[in-house]
Amino acid sequence: MKRVALTVMLGLLASAHAQKVQVPVPIGVALAQTSNTALLGQEQVIGAKLAEKHINAHGGINGTPIKLVFQDAAGDENSAINAFQNLITKANVVAIVGPTLSQQAFAADPIAERAKVPVVGPSNTAKGIPQIGDYIARVSAPVAVVAPNAIKQALKIDPKIKKVAVLYAQNDAFSTSETGTFQDAAKAQGLNVATVQKFQTTDTDFTTQVTAVLNSGADLVIISGLAADGGNLVKQLRQLGYKGLIVGGNGLNTSNIFPVCQQYCDGVIIAQAYSPAQPSAANQLFVKEYRAQYKKDPPQFAAQAYAGVQVVADALRALDHQKKLSQWNLDDLRTALNKQILAGKYNTPLGEVRFDKEGEVLQKDFYVAQIKMQDAKNGSFVYLK
Amino acid sequence: MELSQLLQNVLNGLAIGSVYAIFALGYTLVFSILGIINFAHGAVFTLGAYFTYTLVVGQFENNGILKGINLFPNGSPFSGNPWLFALATLIGAAVAGLVAVLIERLAFRPMRSRGADPLLALVSSLGVALVVVNLIQLLVGAEIYNFPSDAYGQVQPALSFHIGDRVVIVRTVQIIIFAVSLVMLAILGYVIGRTKIGKALRAVAENPGTASLLGISVDRFILITFFLSGFLGGLAGTLVGTAFGVAGPYFGVTYGLKGLAVIVLGGLGSIPGAVVGGLVIGLAEAFVPAQYSAYKDAVAFALLFVILLVRPQGLLGRAQIQKV
């Protein structure tokens, strides 16, 4: 008798705690809105907001609107953890898109994993992110696939290339893994790596590295870094008299480098996980909306954040067909949503993406582009076939 | 090391070291008068660069409240000519100086008039620094803004000369930085050492109480000190901005820390010490081999640590003598 009463009591308690999904459906966005990572984060916020606007303008989730709940994850691990906790416990979100940096993902994603909240990483490219847990996926491809293409393109433009100088930002997890791929690819093409130079993403003066490159007699320079340092490095290479080809890694794949290296950006070859020239309807619509507001082509970070929100919304739409979202218990929906995210196929601005069972993105298209500057400030990435 | 490499490193070191020196002078001036470190100095440095950028370009395209603003639809009157660019730089530095004065009124004076512990003033300046940095981001976003490469006219981007079969290359902007820093240091040395204002400043630094009895308005000279300090910080900001770009609102943070190392190394409160300290750290960084250049910042502080073990008062500081 006692046991029955206890069971009934527990059942009542559990049902009192079983929360329904709110309407509009809250999706968490934890990105860097402050700190020096905000340069990337603010592009991501723009991408996420454009996705929200587009989805709600087209009827939301079968008539139910979505609402993005933004929490600043700044550039450090603690802020990302706080943002995740607030989104999970206070905002009761169904999923989280974020954080901006891989280092933050390693710290904050386990929080979501324990709470069984699906996470879609929009820009975490380091090794091991999808393996953090069952609830962790990413739309940002590790670009090991891309590097060899960029070097092949450089050799196509200048077949006489023999010696390569490689430079990379050693305090950035992504750049250090990318440079390994680049160096292997260069050796595989029979090129001689004449010098390897390191720098920090926070560096501004690259005279030492550039002097070493010039003295090495390299006729191809490969840079793995981010927009500010990478752009500055390109500028100083050219100003100090380097005349050969330059290949930039995925971190330089943003129009944010145009104002940094200005006319000196011209001709830089870039390996890309996203290209505004990608012909799919989803991308062309995104490019049009972005251009209308910002008068320039969307950078990769905006496109990937847009894709992250879109993946969550498309998966929600599939679940809503089974049962109206407002009738789901929050915990059940989170679990079902995680399964659905991994099961679906999505037509995003990045092209078609799917996920493997660990949550690693399977992306169809990668690109190589060359920067063409119209004037000191405006340029574009010209897609190389 | 080959002669060409040696020369190249010395030139690189002098250029960046001279920026450290004028940046650190601002720290030192305030320290010598008030005996406190003004942590907002890095933020003032950042502001100086942004003010000059506003005059020379006047466009903030992408983010923040000022998004889309264009002050000069027909091109800035301060762009394309070295003298006008220099004028914009001086105006930018002067406005940064005024901000420093404002910081003194808001963050330091109330503390001083209540006889608060100097440590509190230090914390309050840290607060001001954070507010300023976040305010910049709110207004213009986190983008890197760059001066157009023809902002000071059509100059050669770099000069090179041969030593044997090796080339030594100096960016023109590095030569400008070094020259401007030398001129500023000379002017400041003259003002402090040879003028009435300088005499009064030294009196206030020596003993504010006695200076006040002698009819020197201590508060006014503290304001003058903050203006000079902000002016030098803002000027350093523009110089670095022209060489490497105005690297976002957090651009001054690294220089703030480096400046701290410079003044401790040179000797707290010593003006020649700030100059020597800046040049020593600049040169030490330049001699870090290229493949280890990512550890430049660590070198500055390691050097500081070693020198303090040998000379706790810094290179040119005066040893504290305590009477018992």
Side-chain angles (χ1 to χ4, degrees):
Chain A
M1 192 64 206
K2 264 188 189 165
R3 188 174 294 177
V4 172
L6 195 66
T7 315
V8 170
M9 279 249 304
L10 282 174
L12 281 171
L13 272 174
S15 65
H17 271 280
Q19 266 184 319
K20 287 275 183 253
V21 173
Q22 297 169 14
V23 173
V25 182
I27 299 171
V29 179
L31 298 167
Q33 289 167 293
T34 59
S35 89
N36 51 2
T37 313
L39 183 64
L40 312 174
Q42 63 195 14
E43 283 296 351
Q44 296 178 301
V45 169
I46 290 170
K49 281 186 175 161
L50 280 175
E52 177 187 39
K53 196 172 135 195
H54 175 80
I55 290 160
N56 284 338
H58 291 76
I61 313 290
N62 309 327
T64 310
I66 60 164
K67 184 182 78 188
L68 295 188
V69 185
F70 286 91
Q71 278 276 329
D72 178 20
D76 62 299
E77 287 85 339
N78 285 339
S79 306
I81 288 171
N82 279 337
F84 269 50
Q85 278 171 334
N86 283 339
L87 290 172
I88 293 166
T89 54
K90 291 202 183 110
N92 297 317
V93 299
V94 297
I96 296 175
V97 176
T100 301
L101 300 176
S102 295
Q103 282 99 312
Q104 293 177 297
F106 286 121
D109 285 357
I111 309 262
E113 177 68 23
R114 277 198 293 276
K116 297 191 163 48
V117 177
V119 173
V120 179
S123 54
N124 317 136
T125 42
K127 211 171 148 181
I129 297 277
Q131 290 76 24
I132 292 172
D134 296 341
Y135 281 78
I136 314 300
R138 62 172 163 194
V139 288
S140 40
V143 286
V145 219
V146 192
N149 300 346
I151 295 178
K152 277 181 201 150
Q153 279 288 358
L155 284 168
K156 215 187 269 181
I157 295 170
D158 181 4
K160 290 200 294 292
I161 292 171
K162 290 277 177 297
K163 280 185 179 174
V164 188
V166 179
L167 301 107
Y168 71 97
Q170 64 168 12
N171 61 334
D172 177 62
F174 169 70
S175 296
T176 42
S177 67
E178 187 189 63
T179 194
T181 315
F182 266 132
Q183 289 179 45
D184 294 345
K187 285 172 196 152
Q189 296 283 333
L191 299 171
N192 161 19
V193 178
T195 176
V196 177
Q197 297 289 322
K198 303 168 191 167
F199 57 89
Q200 306 262 44
T201 48
T202 48
D203 278 356
T204 46
D205 183 359
F206 299 102
T207 326
T208 324
Q209 288 88 339
V210 174
T211 315
V213 168
L214 293 172
N215 285 334
S216 76
D219 37 22
L220 174 67
V221 168
I222 299 175
I223 300 170
S224 291
L226 301 176
D229 44 314
N232 237 323
L233 191 46
V234 169
K235 177 165 101 178
Q236 289 174 40
L237 273 164
R238 294 295 186 215
Q239 285 191 331
L240 292 167
Y242 173 73
K243 299 231 173 3
L245 277 173
I246 299 176
V247 167
N250 198 36
L252 277 71
N253 180 22
T254 159
S255 49
N256 282 334
I257 80 164
F258 298 159
V260 182
C261 42
Q262 298 174 31
Q263 71 270 35
Y264 300 110
C265 305
D266 203 66
V268 173
I269 297 167
I270 302 271
Q272 299 182 309
Y274 167 72
S275 164
Q278 207 277 344
S280 73
N283 184 45
Q284 287 316 309
L285 193 75
F286 165 66
V287 171
K288 201 173 104 193
E289 285 177 353
Y290 188 97
R291 268 194 199 140
Q293 270 197 54
Y294 298 95
K295 312 280 176 286
K296 61 174 187 182
D297 279 338
Q300 179 177 306
F301 284 100
Q304 286 176 325
Y306 185 103
V309 173
Q310 195 196 327
V311 162
V312 174
D314 287 359
L316 284 170
R317 202 166 289 124
L319 293 175
D320 186 79
H321 284 305
Q322 297 169 24
K323 184 167 83 175
K324 269 281 174 233
L325 289 180
S326 52
Q327 293 165 10
W328 283 79
N329 282 338
L330 181 58
D331 291 346
D332 298 347
L333 179 72
R334 284 168 170 175
T335 305
L337 178 59
N338 187 54
K339 285 202 183 83
Q340 185 58 46
I341 285 174
L342 298 186
K345 195 165 74 172
Y346 309 91
N347 291 318
T348 70
L350 311 173
E352 184 189 295
V353 299
R354 289 181 298 111
F355 298 95
D356 70 6
K357 60 183 190 308
E358 284 188 314
E360 180 65 276
V361 66
L362 303 168
Q363 189 176 332
K364 261 179 112 165
D365 308 319
F366 289 102
Y367 318 88
V368 179
Q370 192 165 25
I371 297 178
K372 282 274 170 286
M373 298 300 290
Q374 281 95 37
D375 54 41
K377 256 179 145 163
N378 302 295
S380 57
F381 291 97
V382 179
Y383 182 48
L384 297 175
K385 285 278 182 299
Chain B
M1 188 180 289
E2 294 174 22
L3 180 63
S4 63
Q5 188 65 50
L6 182 81
L7 197 62
Q8 179 79 58
N9 289 347
V10 168
L11 291 171
N12 295 348
L14 287 178
I16 197 68
S18 57
V19 173
Y20 291 159
I22 53 170
F23 177 78
L25 271 177
Y27 261 144
T28 289
L29 279 174
V30 170
F31 183 86
S32 59
I33 299 278
L34 295 180
I36 46 174
I37 300 281
N38 171 17
F39 267 123
H41 194 56
V44 173
F45 165 95
T46 309
L47 279 175
Y50 274 97
F51 289 146
T52 309
Y53 177 85
T54 307
L55 290 171
V56 174
V57 181
Q59 266 182 321
F60 295 97
E61 303 93 339
N62 302 318
N63 273 296
I65 294 173
L66 299 180
K67 186 173 100 177
I69 196 168
N70 187 355
L71 295 177
F72 311 109
N74 304 324
S76 160
F78 291 101
S79 188
N81 170 324
W83 301 111
L84 291 170
F85 188 88
L87 180 63
T89 304
L90 291 175
I91 296 171
V95 180
L98 293 175
V99 172
V101 166
L102 193 67
I103 289 172
E104 196 278 330
R105 292 303 296 265
L106 295 176
F108 289 96
R109 186 170 298 187
M111 298 267 175
R112 213 172 45 249
S113 59
R114 294 192 185 86
D117 190 299
L119 183 68
L120 293 183
L122 183 132
V123 174
S124 112
S125 72
L126 198 57
V128 171
L130 286 171
V131 169
V132 170
V133 164
N134 283 289
L135 206 59
I136 295 174
Q137 183 168 332
L138 192 68
L139 288 172
V140 298
E143 266 77 11
I144 298 142
Y145 287 101
N146 280 271
F147 291 100
S149 42
D150 59 355
Y152 24 83
Q154 296 298 338
V155 280
Q156 279 282 84
L159 303 173
S160 59
F161 48 93
H162 285 265
I163 293 190
D165 60 345
R166 292 287 184 168
V167 180
V168 176
I169 312 168
V170 198
R171 290 170 74 206
T172 315
V173 76
Q174 289 179 301
I175 300 169
I176 295 171
I177 286 179
F178 187 59
V180 171
S181 304
L182 282 186
V183 170
M184 284 316 299
L185 293 176
I187 292 174
L188 190 75
Y190 176 78
V191 168
I192 301 265
R194 305 273 166 160
T195 65
K196 256 189 164 162
I197 289 180
K199 218 179 245 177
L201 279 175
R202 278 179 292 147
V204 173
E206 194 63 46
N207 189 327
T210 313
S212 159
L213 287 175
L214 292 170
I216 296 171
S217 163
V218 171
D219 273 346
R220 202 178 74 192
F221 277 98
I222 287 177
L223 282 184
I224 290 175
T225 305
F226 267 86
F227 177 80
L228 282 175
S229 156
F231 183 88
L232 292 168
L235 182 71
T238 299
L239 289 177
V240 173
T242 47
F244 311 122
V246 184
Y250 294 82
F251 161 59
V253 175
T254 327
Y255 284 88
L257 286 173
K258 203 68 68 74
L260 217 50
V262 168
I263 58 169
V264 176
L265 179 72
L268 279 171
S270 157
I271 288 176
V275 178
V276 171
L279 293 178
V280 166
I281 285 190
L283 286 168
E285 284 184 359
F287 276 90
V288 175
Q291 64 270 35
Y292 301 115
S293 69
Y295 302 107
K296 274 195 304 221
D297 292 348
V299 167
F301 285 91
L303 188 72
L304 174 71
F305 177 69
V306 170
I307 287 185
L308 286 185
L309 283 179
V310 184
R311 275 187 68 86
Q313 69 273 39
L315 290 173
L316 303 184
R318 276 180 298 186
Q320 292 285 335
I321 298 168
Q322 287 200 326
K323 291 181 181 165
V324 282

PDB file of all heavy atoms in Angstrom, chain A residues 56-82:
ATOM      1  N   ASN A  56      11.061  32.108 -39.745  1.00  0.00           N
ATOM      2  CA  ASN A  56       9.760  32.607 -39.265  1.00  0.00           C
ATOM      3  C   ASN A  56       8.947  33.262 -40.378  1.00  0.00           C
ATOM      4  O   ASN A  56       7.719  33.205 -40.377  1.00  0.00           O
ATOM      5  CB  ASN A  56       9.954  33.569 -38.094  1.00  0.00           C
ATOM      6  CG  ASN A  56      10.274  32.815 -36.807  1.00  0.00           C
ATOM      7  OD1 ASN A  56       9.959  31.634 -36.685  1.00  0.00           O
ATOM      8  ND2 ASN A  56      10.901  33.490 -35.855  1.00  0.00           N
ATOM      9  N   ALA A  57       9.647  33.881 -41.347  1.00  0.00           N
ATOM     10  CA  ALA A  57       8.920  34.498 -42.473  1.00  0.00           C
ATOM     11  C   ALA A  57       8.272  33.432 -43.349  1.00  0.00           C
ATOM     12  O   ALA A  57       7.313  33.709 -44.076  1.00  0.00           O
ATOM     13  CB  ALA A  57       9.882  35.350 -43.291  1.00  0.00           C
ATOM     14  N   HIS A  58       8.817  32.201 -43.284  1.00  0.00           N
ATOM     15  CA  HIS A  58       8.249  31.126 -44.100  1.00  0.00           C
ATOM     16  C   HIS A  58       7.444  30.150 -43.253  1.00  0.00           C
ATOM     17  O   HIS A  58       7.475  28.931 -43.451  1.00  0.00           O
ATOM     18  CB  HIS A  58       9.358  30.390 -44.869  1.00  0.00           C
ATOM     19  CG  HIS A  58       9.957  31.250 -45.941  1.00  0.00           C
ATOM     20  ND1 HIS A  58      10.843  32.256 -45.665  1.00  0.00           N
ATOM     21  CD2 HIS A  58       9.749  31.282 -47.284  1.00  0.00           C
ATOM     22  CE1 HIS A  58      11.178  32.877 -46.796  1.00  0.00           C
ATOM     23  NE2 HIS A  58      10.521  32.304 -47.795  1.00  0.00           N
ATOM     24  N   GLY A  59       6.751  30.680 -42.235  1.00  0.00           N
ATOM     25  CA  GLY A  59       5.801  29.850 -41.486  1.00  0.00           C
ATOM     26  C   GLY A  59       6.402  29.098 -40.310  1.00  0.00           C
ATOM     27  O   GLY A  59       5.729  28.274 -39.705  1.00  0.00           O
ATOM     28  N   GLY A  60       7.665  29.392 -39.965  1.00  0.00           N
ATOM     29  CA  GLY A  60       8.273  28.757 -38.794  1.00  0.00           C
ATOM     30  C   GLY A  60       8.306  27.242 -38.924  1.00  0.00           C
ATOM     31  O   GLY A  60       8.601  26.696 -39.987  1.00  0.00           O
ATOM     32  N   ILE A  61       7.975  26.554 -37.803  1.00  0.00           N
ATOM     33  CA  ILE A  61       7.929  25.088 -37.816  1.00  0.00           C
ATOM     34  C   ILE A  61       6.472  24.694 -38.053  1.00  0.00           C
ATOM     35  O   ILE A  61       5.686  24.607 -37.101  1.00  0.00           O
ATOM     36  CB  ILE A  61       8.410  24.506 -36.459  1.00  0.00           C
ATOM     37  CG1 ILE A  61       9.706  25.183 -35.997  1.00  0.00           C
ATOM     38  CG2 ILE A  61       8.520  22.991 -36.516  1.00  0.00           C
ATOM     39  CD1 ILE A  61      10.930  24.856 -36.792  1.00  0.00           C
ATOM     40  N   ASN A  62       6.105  24.518 -39.287  1.00  0.00           N
ATOM     41  CA  ASN A  62       4.712  24.200 -39.655  1.00  0.00           C
ATOM     42  C   ASN A  62       3.720  25.119 -38.931  1.00  0.00           C
ATOM     43  O   ASN A  62       2.732  24.668 -38.355  1.00  0.00           O
ATOM     44  CB  ASN A  62       4.380  22.734 -39.325  1.00  0.00           C
ATOM     45  CG  ASN A  62       5.421  21.788 -39.896  1.00  0.00           C
ATOM     46  OD1 ASN A  62       5.986  22.051 -40.960  1.00  0.00           O
ATOM     47  ND2 ASN A  62       5.694  20.699 -39.189  1.00  0.00           N
ATOM     48  N   GLY A  63       4.022  26.415 -38.901  1.00  0.00           N
ATOM     49  CA  GLY A  63       3.086  27.364 -38.290  1.00  0.00           C
ATOM     50  C   GLY A  63       3.495  27.834 -36.904  1.00  0.00           C
ATOM     51  O   GLY A  63       3.018  28.851 -36.431  1.00  0.00           O
ATOM     52  N   THR A  64       4.396  27.080 -36.233  1.00  0.00           N
ATOM     53  CA  THR A  64       4.863  27.512 -34.908  1.00  0.00           C
ATOM     54  C   THR A  64       6.160  28.297 -35.078  1.00  0.00           C
ATOM     55  O   THR A  64       7.122  27.763 -35.635  1.00  0.00           O
ATOM     56  CB  THR A  64       5.156  26.283 -34.007  1.00  0.00           C
ATOM     57  OG1 THR A  64       4.019  25.420 -34.059  1.00  0.00           O
ATOM     58  CG2 THR A  64       5.439  26.706 -32.581  1.00  0.00           C
ATOM     59  N   PRO A  65       6.208  29.547 -34.596  1.00  0.00           N
ATOM     60  CA  PRO A  65       7.448  30.309 -34.778  1.00  0.00           C
ATOM     61  C   PRO A  65       8.571  29.809 -33.855  1.00  0.00           C
ATOM     62  O   PRO A  65       8.295  29.195 -32.827  1.00  0.00           O
ATOM     63  CB  PRO A  65       7.056  31.736 -34.390  1.00  0.00           C
ATOM     64  CG  PRO A  65       5.867  31.594 -33.516  1.00  0.00           C
ATOM     65  CD  PRO A  65       5.157  30.333 -33.917  1.00  0.00           C
ATOM     66  N   ILE A  66       9.819  30.097 -34.255  1.00  0.00           N
ATOM     67  CA  ILE A  66      10.958  29.817 -33.361  1.00  0.00           C
ATOM     68  C   ILE A  66      11.444  31.137 -32.769  1.00  0.00           C
ATOM     69  O   ILE A  66      11.138  32.216 -33.303  1.00  0.00           O
ATOM     70  CB  ILE A  66      12.147  29.138 -34.094  1.00  0.00           C
ATOM     71  CG1 ILE A  66      12.676  30.035 -35.221  1.00  0.00           C
ATOM     72  CG2 ILE A  66      11.773  27.778 -34.603  1.00  0.00           C
ATOM     73  CD1 ILE A  66      14.053  29.623 -35.733  1.00  0.00           C
ATOM     74  N   LYS A  67      12.175  31.047 -31.644  1.00  0.00           N
ATOM     75  CA  LYS A  67      12.748  32.253 -31.050  1.00  0.00           C
ATOM     76  C   LYS A  67      14.185  31.921 -30.641  1.00  0.00           C
ATOM     77  O   LYS A  67      14.406  30.963 -29.892  1.00  0.00           O
ATOM     78  CB  LYS A  67      11.949  32.654 -29.812  1.00  0.00           C
ATOM     79  CG  LYS A  67      12.428  33.966 -29.183  1.00  0.00           C
ATOM     80  CD  LYS A  67      11.653  34.306 -27.926  1.00  0.00           C
ATOM     81  CE  LYS A  67      12.167  33.477 -26.779  1.00  0.00           C
ATOM     82  NZ  LYS A  67      11.461  33.513 -25.534  1.00  0.00           N
ATOM     83  N   LEU A  68      15.152  32.682 -31.169  1.00  0.00           N
ATOM     84  CA  LEU A  68      16.544  32.446 -30.750  1.00  0.00           C
ATOM     85  C   LEU A  68      16.793  33.160 -29.427  1.00  0.00           C
ATOM     86  O   LEU A  68      16.468  34.336 -29.285  1.00  0.00           O
ATOM     87  CB  LEU A  68      17.525  32.972 -31.802  1.00  0.00           C
ATOM     88  CG  LEU A  68      17.515  32.280 -33.165  1.00  0.00           C
ATOM     89  CD1 LEU A  68      18.666  32.789 -34.012  1.00  0.00           C
ATOM     90  CD2 LEU A  68      17.601  30.765 -33.041  1.00  0.00           C
ATOM     91  N   VAL A  69      17.346  32.434 -28.448  1.00  0.00           N
ATOM     92  CA  VAL A  69      17.697  33.042 -27.166  1.00  0.00           C
ATOM     93  C   VAL A  69      19.213  33.197 -27.147  1.00  0.00           C
ATOM     94  O   VAL A  69      19.948  32.206 -27.141  1.00  0.00           O
ATOM     95  CB  VAL A  69      17.255  32.149 -25.992  1.00  0.00           C
ATOM     96  CG1 VAL A  69      17.524  32.850 -24.670  1.00  0.00           C
ATOM     97  CG2 VAL A  69      15.790  31.789 -26.127  1.00  0.00           C
ATOM     98  N   PHE A  70      19.695  34.454 -27.171  1.00  0.00           N
ATOM     99  CA  PHE A  70      21.148  34.709 -27.251  1.00  0.00           C
ATOM    100  C   PHE A  70      21.754  34.839 -25.857  1.00  0.00           C
ATOM    101  O   PHE A  70      21.204  35.504 -25.002  1.00  0.00           O
ATOM    102  CB  PHE A  70      21.415  35.997 -28.035  1.00  0.00           C
ATOM    103  CG  PHE A  70      21.207  35.836 -29.509  1.00  0.00           C
ATOM    104  CD1 PHE A  70      19.972  36.105 -30.086  1.00  0.00           C
ATOM    105  CD2 PHE A  70      22.232  35.393 -30.324  1.00  0.00           C
ATOM    106  CE1 PHE A  70      19.772  35.943 -31.448  1.00  0.00           C
ATOM    107  CE2 PHE A  70      22.042  35.226 -31.684  1.00  0.00           C
ATOM    108  CZ  PHE A  70      20.815  35.505 -32.243  1.00  0.00           C
ATOM    109  N   GLN A  71      22.888  34.173 -25.667  1.00  0.00           N
ATOM    110  CA  GLN A  71      23.665  34.347 -24.442  1.00  0.00           C
ATOM    111  C   GLN A  71      25.104  34.569 -24.877  1.00  0.00           C
ATOM    112  O   GLN A  71      25.629  33.812 -25.688  1.00  0.00           O
ATOM    113  CB  GLN A  71      23.600  33.067 -23.596  1.00  0.00           C
ATOM    114  CG  GLN A  71      22.357  32.956 -22.749  1.00  0.00           C
ATOM    115  CD  GLN A  71      22.492  33.702 -21.421  1.00  0.00           C
ATOM    116  OE1 GLN A  71      23.583  33.807 -20.878  1.00  0.00           O
ATOM    117  NE2 GLN A  71      21.408  34.246 -20.924  1.00  0.00           N
ATOM    118  N   ASP A  72      25.742  35.598 -24.325  1.00  0.00           N
ATOM    119  CA  ASP A  72      27.122  35.884 -24.709  1.00  0.00           C
ATOM    120  C   ASP A  72      28.068  34.825 -24.138  1.00  0.00           C
ATOM    121  O   ASP A  72      28.133  34.647 -22.928  1.00  0.00           O
ATOM    122  CB  ASP A  72      27.507  37.277 -24.168  1.00  0.00           C
ATOM    123  CG  ASP A  72      28.947  37.628 -24.491  1.00  0.00           C
ATOM    124  OD1 ASP A  72      29.512  37.004 -25.417  1.00  0.00           O
ATOM    125  OD2 ASP A  72      29.492  38.527 -23.838  1.00  0.00           O
ATOM    126  N   ALA A  73      28.774  34.115 -25.013  1.00  0.00           N
ATOM    127  CA  ALA A  73      29.735  33.114 -24.540  1.00  0.00           C
ATOM    128  C   ALA A  73      31.154  33.672 -24.534  1.00  0.00           C
ATOM    129  O   ALA A  73      32.108  32.960 -24.201  1.00  0.00           O
ATOM    130  CB  ALA A  73      29.665  31.868 -25.413  1.00  0.00           C
ATOM    131  N   ALA A  74      31.316  34.952 -24.912  1.00  0.00           N
ATOM    132  CA  ALA A  74      32.623  35.631 -24.937  1.00  0.00           C
ATOM    133  C   ALA A  74      33.706  34.734 -25.565  1.00  0.00           C
ATOM    134  O   ALA A  74      33.385  33.949 -26.451  1.00  0.00           O
ATOM    135  CB  ALA A  74      33.020  36.091 -23.546  1.00  0.00           C
ATOM    136  N   GLY A  75      34.949  34.868 -25.114  1.00  0.00           N
ATOM    137  CA  GLY A  75      36.012  34.104 -25.762  1.00  0.00           C
ATOM    138  C   GLY A  75      36.665  33.105 -24.821  1.00  0.00           C
ATOM    139  O   GLY A  75      37.647  32.472 -25.171  1.00  0.00           O
ATOM    140  N   ASP A  76      36.114  32.974 -23.597  1.00  0.00           N
ATOM    141  CA  ASP A  76      36.775  32.083 -22.630  1.00  0.00           C
ATOM    142  C   ASP A  76      35.850  30.943 -22.221  1.00  0.00           C
ATOM    143  O   ASP A  76      34.646  30.980 -22.469  1.00  0.00           O
ATOM    144  CB  ASP A  76      37.187  32.882 -21.384  1.00  0.00           C
ATOM    145  CG  ASP A  76      35.985  33.464 -20.674  1.00  0.00           C
ATOM    146  OD1 ASP A  76      35.270  34.274 -21.304  1.00  0.00           O
ATOM    147  OD2 ASP A  76      35.736  33.115 -19.513  1.00  0.00           O
ATOM    148  N   GLU A  77      36.423  29.937 -21.583  1.00  0.00           N
ATOM    149  CA  GLU A  77      35.673  28.728 -21.244  1.00  0.00           C
ATOM    150  C   GLU A  77      34.580  29.008 -20.220  1.00  0.00           C
ATOM    151  O   GLU A  77      33.465  28.511 -20.337  1.00  0.00           O
ATOM    152  CB  GLU A  77      36.623  27.642 -20.706  1.00  0.00           C
ATOM    153  CG  GLU A  77      37.500  27.007 -21.772  1.00  0.00           C
ATOM    154  CD  GLU A  77      38.783  27.799 -22.047  1.00  0.00           C
ATOM    155  OE1 GLU A  77      38.792  28.998 -21.718  1.00  0.00           O
ATOM    156  OE2 GLU A  77      39.739  27.230 -22.570  1.00  0.00           O
ATOM    157  N   ASN A  78      34.891  29.821 -19.194  1.00  0.00           N
ATOM    158  CA  ASN A  78      33.895  30.054 -18.132  1.00  0.00           C
ATOM    159  C   ASN A  78      32.640  30.721 -18.648  1.00  0.00           C
ATOM    160  O   ASN A  78      31.528  30.352 -18.276  1.00  0.00           O
ATOM    161  CB  ASN A  78      34.501  30.915 -17.009  1.00  0.00           C
ATOM    162  CG  ASN A  78      35.447  30.092 -16.164  1.00  0.00           C
ATOM    163  OD1 ASN A  78      35.348  28.871 -16.155  1.00  0.00           O
ATOM    164  ND2 ASN A  78      36.363  30.740 -15.492  1.00  0.00           N
ATOM    165  N   SER A  79      32.828  31.725 -19.525  1.00  0.00           N
ATOM    166  CA  SER A  79      31.653  32.422 -20.064  1.00  0.00           C
ATOM    167  C   SER A  79      30.805  31.458 -20.875  1.00  0.00           C
ATOM    168  O   SER A  79      29.563  31.516 -20.839  1.00  0.00           O
ATOM    169  CB  SER A  79      32.073  33.590 -20.947  1.00  0.00           C
ATOM    170  OG  SER A  79      32.925  34.434 -20.247  1.00  0.00           O
ATOM    171  N   ALA A  80      31.467  30.554 -21.613  1.00  0.00           N
ATOM    172  CA  ALA A  80      30.718  29.598 -22.430  1.00  0.00           C
ATOM    173  C   ALA A  80      29.929  28.651 -21.528  1.00  0.00           C
ATOM    174  O   ALA A  80      28.751  28.365 -21.790  1.00  0.00           O
ATOM    175  CB  ALA A  80      31.677  28.803 -23.313  1.00  0.00           C
ATOM    176  N   ILE A  81      30.547  28.203 -20.427  1.00  0.00           N
ATOM    177  CA  ILE A  81      29.855  27.306 -19.490  1.00  0.00           C
ATOM    178  C   ILE A  81      28.632  28.013 -18.903  1.00  0.00           C
ATOM    179  O   ILE A  81      27.534  27.449 -18.855  1.00  0.00           O
ATOM    180  CB  ILE A  81      30.824  26.855 -18.368  1.00  0.00           C
ATOM    181  CG1 ILE A  81      31.846  25.864 -18.941  1.00  0.00           C
ATOM    182  CG2 ILE A  81      30.067  26.213 -17.210  1.00  0.00           C
ATOM    183  CD1 ILE A  81      32.970  25.518 -17.995  1.00  0.00           C
ATOM    184  N   ASN A  82      28.821  29.269 -18.466  1.00  0.00           N
ATOM    185  CA  ASN A  82      27.694  30.037 -17.920  1.00  0.00           C
ATOM    186  C   ASN A  82      26.570  30.178 -18.919  1.00  0.00           C
ATOM    187  O   ASN A  82      25.399  30.020 -18.587  1.00  0.00           O
ATOM    188  CB  ASN A  82      28.156  31.450 -17.513  1.00  0.00           C
ATOM    189  CG  ASN A  82      28.817  31.420 -16.170  1.00  0.00           C
ATOM    190  OD1 ASN A  82      28.561  30.509 -15.384  1.00  0.00           O
ATOM    191  ND2 ASN A  82      29.668  32.387 -15.898  1.00  0.00           N
TER     192      ASN A  82
END
